[in-house]
Amino acid sequence: MNYKFLTLILVLAGFVSLEAQSILNAKSPQELRKMREENLKVNAKGDTVKSEAKPLEYGYINEDDVLWSKVTWEVIDLNERINQPYYNSSDGLVYQTLSLFDALKKGIESGEITEVYDDEYFQYKITKDEAINALSRTDTTDWYWEQADAGEDMSQVADQGIDAYAIESDKIKMVKVKGLWYIDRRMSEMRYRIIGLSMMGPDAQTIGRGFEGADDYVDLFWVFYPDARKVLHKYTVYNPQNSASKITYDDMLNARRFNAILYKSSDVMGNTSIEDYLPRDAKAQLEESHRIKGNILERENDMWNY
């Protein structure tokens, strides 16, 4: 039997991935990581080929075809078991996954993601350096200044007198998702489109200072989602049942494969947070979140009632 021909058939049928071929044929871990970094894979013939995945393009939507729409803000709790795949990172050897935060951060650092903002309405754009610098801070210790005041040459031991604090993936516990529910007249169905993502973690400027509220979560940055799709399509989501799974972050998010709590939506009062009109009542806030979600989903059914 011609095993190369059989492998080619399986690859075309989707049963064997090109990435699996790469790890099985790699001569060294360094070679494998370099191939992945350069989007190189090994095909069924054993040849190295360029393979850059692209997300499925959104179709053009004419504004006149939108019969109804509603903007919603939701928060994804990464502590929930169903949401933990967004939290996983690997060593990039046997299988390559990054957490959602690390994928976005890497995209910002490389310049592939440029639409980064410090507000949920995408009015105040920030630079790459501003976004990355907001994720860490350094603090000069008292020991350093004491030694410097004593006349010691600190140029050789400067690192010993600097405390570095950085926000890593393990400190990201929540993700905000801003999206638009709308009814497409041509398709005669309800659809959902993500507008933006925000990673939530502690403020880097308060870490290690002992301030009250230092553990509170803040919006670290907002990413305009269409600009991040290409980067998020590069990284697969960890699947505990199958490490060869090829579901990407872009696939997962667009399919709404997460559990989230709605905390704000567009209404007659503007964009009102549920907490604003139902303060200090967590149960009522949760019930209101479910009520709004239910109304959105029922809207499509109401189209067919006369």
Side-chain angles (χ1 to χ4, degrees):
M1 177 181 293
N2 189 329
Y3 288 100
K4 283 192 174 182
F5 178 75
L6 177 60
T7 303
L8 177 61
I9 295 298
L10 292 174
V11 168
L12 295 176
F15 294 110
V16 176
S17 68
L18 289 179
E19 187 172 352
Q21 288 286 308
S22 296
I23 190 172
L24 294 175
N25 295 323
K27 297 178 181 179
S28 68
Q30 292 76 15
E31 179 192 55
L32 177 59
R33 291 191 174 98
K34 182 178 179 181
M35 289 175 63
R36 284 176 172 165
E37 195 70 25
E38 298 177 356
N39 294 314
L40 299 177
K41 297 181 180 180
V42 178
N43 64 16
K45 297 180 180 180
D47 299 325
T48 302
V49 295
K50 185 79 172 179
S51 179
E52 185 172 359
K54 294 183 179 180
L56 183 65
E57 293 185 8
Y58 290 144
Y60 177 76
I61 303 296
N62 192 313
E63 289 189 5
D64 294 335
D65 291 333
V66 178
L67 296 180
W68 172 91
S69 66
K70 192 177 190 68
V71 182
T72 60
W73 286 259
E74 299 171 282
V75 60
I76 301 173
D77 186 350
L78 297 180
N79 289 316
E80 291 189 40
R81 187 170 183 178
I82 192 174
N83 297 327
Q84 287 179 355
Y86 294 94
Y87 196 62
N88 181 273
S89 292
S90 75
D91 61 0
L93 184 61
V94 178
Y95 60 91
Q96 182 184 26
T97 63
L98 289 179
S99 68
L100 179 60
F101 171 74
D102 286 337
L104 291 174
K105 181 181 177 182
K106 190 171 183 178
I108 294 172
E109 289 176 332
S110 66
E112 293 177 274
I113 298 177
T114 59
E115 296 300 315
V116 186
Y117 298 78
D118 69 351
D119 70 308
E120 61 192 26
Y121 299 106
F122 307 104
Q123 293 179 332
Y124 305 103
K125 190 172 183 179
I126 59 179
T127 65
K128 174 179 70 175
D129 292 339
E130 289 174 331
I132 299 303
N133 291 340
L135 302 178
S136 64
R137 78 172 182 88
T138 57
D139 191 12
T140 306
T141 64
D142 293 338
W143 173 85
Y144 178 91
W145 294 118
E146 290 171 358
Q147 296 297 312
D149 292 341
E152 296 290 337
D153 181 9
M154 305 304 295
S155 60
Q156 303 299 322
V157 293
D159 292 343
Q160 299 179 22
I162 303 295
D163 289 336
Y165 302 92
I167 298 177
E168 303 293 345
S169 181
D170 62 328
K171 292 183 173 67
I172 304 301
K173 301 299 183 183
M174 291 186 288
V175 181
K176 283 183 178 178
V177 182
K178 181 180 181 181
L180 178 72
W181 291 92
Y182 67 96
I183 295 178
D184 189 325
R185 179 175 64 86
R186 291 184 179 275
M187 301 300 294
S188 299
E189 65 180 11
M190 176 78 76
R191 292 196 165 190
Y192 178 76
R193 184 75 61 85
I194 296 178
I195 300 174
L197 295 176
S198 172
M199 310 307 296
M200 298 189 68
D203 186 346
Q205 303 308 312
T206 65
I207 298 177
R209 295 184 184 271
F211 292 159
E212 182 179 354
D215 295 330
D216 293 345
Y217 295 132
V218 298
D219 296 345
L220 300 176
F221 54 77
W222 276 90
V223 172
F224 187 61
Y225 187 75
D227 184 57
R229 292 190 65 210
K230 186 175 180 180
V231 168
L232 294 181
H233 195 71
K234 289 182 179 180
Y235 300 104
T236 57
V237 180
Y238 174 72
N239 183 347
Q241 306 301 325
N242 180 12
S243 61
S245 173
K246 297 302 170 190
I247 300 176
T248 69
Y249 280 121
D250 185 56
D251 297 332
M252 290 276 285
L253 290 166
N254 278 310
R256 287 187 59 85
R257 293 179 64 174
F258 54 79
N259 186 48
I261 300 297
L262 187 150
Y263 69 91
K264 184 164 67 170
S265 66
S266 56
D267 54 27
V268 294
M269 300 298 292
N271 299 318
T272 308
S273 173
I274 294 176
E275 187 178 8
D276 291 341
Y277 60 87
L278 290 174
R280 299 184 298 276
D281 193 337
K283 181 179 180 181
Q285 292 171 9
L286 185 59
E287 291 174 348
E288 178 68 1
S289 173
H290 292 325
R291 184 191 69 80
I292 295 174
K293 277 188 176 182
N295 288 343
I296 291 173
L297 298 178
E298 289 173 5
R299 180 71 61 168
E300 183 177 14
N301 295 331
D302 292 343
M303 289 177 57
W304 307 107
N305 292 333
Y306 298 93

